[in-house]
């Protein structure tokens, strides 16, 4: 799971040859499992996770970054970090194609889901460009199971070449916070220690008449209050509520979360599924509900959580195969291929067989390679 119990990072070094290479990794501190989530992606600086649990990074090149799928292979700096670890990958996924100005470099961005800025900013990308001294507003454009990106406008510009936005986050107040390195020098190539060390700044981007939130301590919230936070329009509060539910692992939250999973069709159903999982309450009964859910993102995460088990329970496996035979949503099909790669052959091959006959797989920009990687992993 992304929330509370798995940490994501990038460019790991010193943990064995595989993990010296470019990629996105994750670590489960309770199970003490460290794994490469996706390999490649370029010289990444940053990770963004949206409200559907998708994982992105910015780019040190001329695109706006990458959308990472579980177990997939992406382009990398081949000369610096070597070939892909799988000699039979026979290809890799490209960065999200850009409709805009191909300039370096928007190495970090947020998908705004804070609920406090005007509605025109909702679900838009706000990217930082420290080299050219501006903030870029853009959007994700659906492209089958993946996305492209489109530049919309420059959100913040300045003639001050010392403006060096190097990090960006959305806060609990729904504002966007930007860390400004504020220095004439940005490159680390020059070995001289002549950086300006006293001028860093933090900027806040808000709507008109921003109101600071009242003081709060989420650790003192009851389970009921935390579950209510799963409906917050600010993703920050939803993620924090899930983290605390994961810390508590209170079985008493099962009934209200299952009710939400069964009766809600939107984002709240997905939050309920995550709440069950981080609380240690995800089982075959909830999996069967989620696999047949009308919300495709609930189905995606049911498939992903089952794949992360390494073996699908006997009572759930027929439901999974039937679901795969009927599924048409491109992102769900992607996750089915990604999860099949994680299963043993006796469970993976029937899923792969269902995916092979689907015309939706062949016309998608990512799914043919994802399907090959699943086949290659179990053969």
């Amino acid at each position: 799971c992304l929330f509370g119990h798995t940490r994501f990072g990038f460019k790991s070094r010193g943990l064995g040859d595989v993990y010296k290479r470019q990629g996105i990794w994750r670590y489960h501190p309770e199970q003490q499992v460290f794994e490469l989530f996706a390999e490649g992606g370029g010289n990444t600086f940053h990770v963004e996770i949206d409200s559907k649990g998708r994982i992105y990074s910015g780019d040190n090149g001329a695109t706006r970054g990458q959308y990472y799928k579980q177990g997939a292979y992406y382009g990398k700096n081949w000369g610096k970090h070597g070939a892909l670890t799988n000699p039979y990958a026979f290809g890799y996924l490209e960065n999200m194609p850009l409709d805009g100005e191909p300039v370096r470099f928007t190495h970090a961005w947020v998908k705004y889901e804070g609920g406090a800025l005007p509605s025109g900013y909702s679900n838009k990308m706000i990217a930082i460009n420290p080299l050219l001294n501006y903030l870029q507003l853009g959007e994700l454009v659906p492209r089958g199971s993946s996305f492209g990106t489109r530049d919309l406008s420059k959100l913040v510009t300045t003639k001050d070449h010392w403006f060096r936005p190097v990090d960006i986050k959305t806060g609990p107040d729904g504002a966007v916070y930007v860390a400004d390195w504020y220095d004439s020098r940005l490159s680390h190539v020059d070995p001289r220690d002549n950086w300006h060390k006293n001028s860093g700044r933090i900027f806040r981007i808000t709507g008109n008449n921003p109101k600071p939130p009242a003081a709060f301590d989420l650790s003192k919230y009851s389970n009921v209050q935390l579950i209510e936070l799963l409906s917050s329009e600010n993703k920050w509060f939803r993620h924090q509520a899930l983290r605390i539910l994961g810390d508590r692992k209170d079985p008493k939250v099962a009934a209200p979360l299952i009710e939400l999973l069964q009766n809600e069709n939107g984002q709240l159903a997905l939050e309920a599924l995550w709440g069950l999982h981080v609380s240690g309450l995800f089982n075959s009964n909830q999996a069967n509900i989620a696999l047949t859910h009308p919300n495709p993102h609930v189905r995606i995460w049911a498939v992903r959580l089952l794949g992360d088990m390494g073996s699908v329970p006997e009572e759930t496996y027929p439901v999974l195969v039937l679901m795969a035979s009927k599924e048409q949503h491109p992102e769900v099909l992607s996750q089915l291929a990604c999860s099949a790669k994680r299963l043993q052959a006796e469970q993976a091959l029937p899923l792969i067989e269902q995916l092979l006959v689907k015309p939706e797989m062949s016309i998608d920009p990512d799914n043919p390679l994802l399907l090959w990687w699943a086949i290659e992993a179990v053969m």
Side-chain angles (χ1 to χ4, degrees), residues 6 9 25 45 64 66 80 132 143 171 195 210 229 261 287 313 324 327 334-335 341 346 350:
T6 304
W25 54 264
F45 289 77
R64 299 294 172 258
Q66 186 54 270
K80 184 177 181 180
L132 299 177
R143 184 172 174 264
W195 282 283
L229 277 182
L261 177 62
E327 187 59 60
S334 274
Q335 187 59 56
K341 182 183 177 185
E346 59 269 19

Side-chain angles (χ1 to χ4, degrees), residues 45-46 105-109 127-131 134-135 162-169 177-183 185-186 200-201:
F45 289 77
H46 188 265
F105 59 100
T106 48
H107 69 271
W109 52 269
I128 56 178
N129 191 316
L131 192 64
Y134 64 78
L135 302 185
W162 275 43
F163 178 61
R164 304 290 192 180
V166 293
D167 200 7
I168 184 168
K169 292 285 185 292
Y177 291 83
V178 178
D180 178 12
W181 179 256
Y182 203 69
D183 200 332
R185 175 183 166 191
L186 186 68
R201 306 179 295 186

Side-chain angles (χ1 to χ4, degrees), residues 107-126:
H107 69 271
W109 52 269
V110 294
K111 182 179 178 183
Y112 183 72
E113 297 171 304
L117 297 184
S119 60
Y121 293 94
S122 181
N123 293 309
K124 296 298 192 295
M125 302 169 62
I126 303 176

Side-chain angles (χ1 to χ4, degrees), residues 3-258:
F3 308 107
H5 290 74
T6 304
R7 306 292 187 256
F8 277 80
F10 42 89
K11 296 173 62 178
S12 176
R13 295 184 173 90
L15 292 166
D17 183 62
V18 170
Y19 301 112
K20 292 178 183 177
R21 304 165 192 254
Q22 290 174 326
I24 299 292
W25 54 264
R26 66 177 182 174
Y27 175 68
H28 197 303
E30 293 176 347
Q31 298 177 7
Q32 297 187 343
V33 174
F34 180 94
E35 64 176 319
L36 192 63
F37 182 85
E39 183 177 351
N43 192 18
T44 53
F45 289 77
H46 188 265
V47 173
E48 171 69 347
I49 301 173
D50 73 6
S51 64
K52 310 305 181 190
R54 304 183 188 101
I55 305 162
Y56 311 88
S57 75
D59 183 26
N60 191 18
T63 73
R64 299 294 172 258
Q66 186 54 270
Y67 165 36
Y68 295 93
K69 297 181 179 180
Q70 189 174 29
Y73 301 97
Y74 296 84
K76 61 163 77 172
N77 186 326
W78 311 107
K80 184 177 181 180
H81 290 280
L84 295 170
T85 56
N86 182 357
Y88 305 107
F90 296 149
Y92 56 89
L93 302 182
E94 302 280 357
N95 279 20
M96 293 183 290
L98 168 65
D99 177 5
E101 188 178 6
V103 295
R104 291 188 66 219
F105 59 100
T106 48
H107 69 271
W109 52 269
V110 294
K111 182 179 178 183
Y112 183 72
E113 297 171 304
L117 297 184
S119 60
Y121 293 94
S122 181
N123 293 309
K124 296 298 192 295
M125 302 169 62
I126 303 176
I128 56 178
N129 191 316
L131 192 64
L132 299 177
N133 322 109
Y134 64 78
L135 302 185
Q136 176 71 55
L137 183 68
E139 64 182 352
L140 292 158
V141 181
R143 184 172 174 264
S145 69
S146 188
F147 296 92
T149 66
R150 179 185 295 129
D151 289 348
L152 298 176
S153 64
K154 290 183 173 61
L155 182 61
V156 175
T157 61
T158 178
K159 294 181 179 179
D160 184 357
H161 74 277
W162 275 43
F163 178 61
R164 304 290 192 180
V166 293
D167 200 7
I168 184 168
K169 292 285 185 292
T170 304
D173 58 353
V176 174
Y177 291 83
V178 178
D180 178 12
W181 179 256
Y182 203 69
D183 200 332
S184 63
R185 175 183 166 191
L186 186 68
S187 171
H188 57 79
V189 176
D190 190 330
R192 292 173 297 171
D193 182 13
N194 58 358
W195 282 283
H196 199 283
K197 297 182 173 64
N198 302 313
S199 56
R201 306 179 295 186
I202 295 176
F203 288 98
R204 183 177 68 170
I205 302 172
T206 68
N208 293 328
N209 302 314
K211 296 180 180 179
F216 61 89
D217 183 351
L218 298 186
S219 68
K220 296 180 180 179
Y221 275 35
S222 68
N223 290 338
V224 171
Q225 290 174 304
L226 291 174
I227 292 173
E228 289 174 349
L229 277 182
L230 298 181
S231 300
S232 172
E233 62 179 347
N234 188 341
K235 183 180 68 175
W236 188 93
F237 278 102
R238 301 198 305 268
H239 283 194
Q240 294 300 318
L242 288 169
R243 180 186 62 79
I244 296 170
L245 288 173
D247 290 340
R248 291 180 183 178
K249 287 190 168 47
D250 188 343
K252 295 177 183 178
V253 303
L257 289 175
I258 292 171

